[in-house]
């Protein structure tokens, strides 16, 4: 029984990866927002 390339079900991995990317974007946006807020308040 040989492995066929592209035959594995990767929906679970894709959901996890998409969730990780979404969380990373949210954290990055929050961090940038905090930095901008601190810069404006400190001026």
């Amino acid at each position: 029984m040989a492995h066929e390339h592209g035959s594995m079900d990767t929906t679970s991995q894709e959901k996890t990866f998409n969730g990780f990317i979404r969380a990373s974007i949210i954290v990055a946006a929050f961090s940038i927002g905090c930095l901008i807020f601190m810069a404006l308040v400190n001026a």
Side-chain angles (χ1 to χ4, degrees):
M1 182 171 157
H3 174 70
E4 293 182 23
H5 185 72
S7 63
M8 189 171 89
D9 183 22
T10 59
T11 54
S12 177
Q13 288 86 352
E14 290 173 12
K15 282 183 185 178
T16 302
F17 179 75
N18 289 336
F20 173 75
I21 295 298
R22 183 175 291 117
S24 298
I25 291 172
I26 291 171
V27 169
F30 180 74
S31 299
I32 292 170
C34 285
L35 289 172
I36 291 172
F37 174 75
M38 289 190 305
L40 292 175
V41 169
N42 198 21

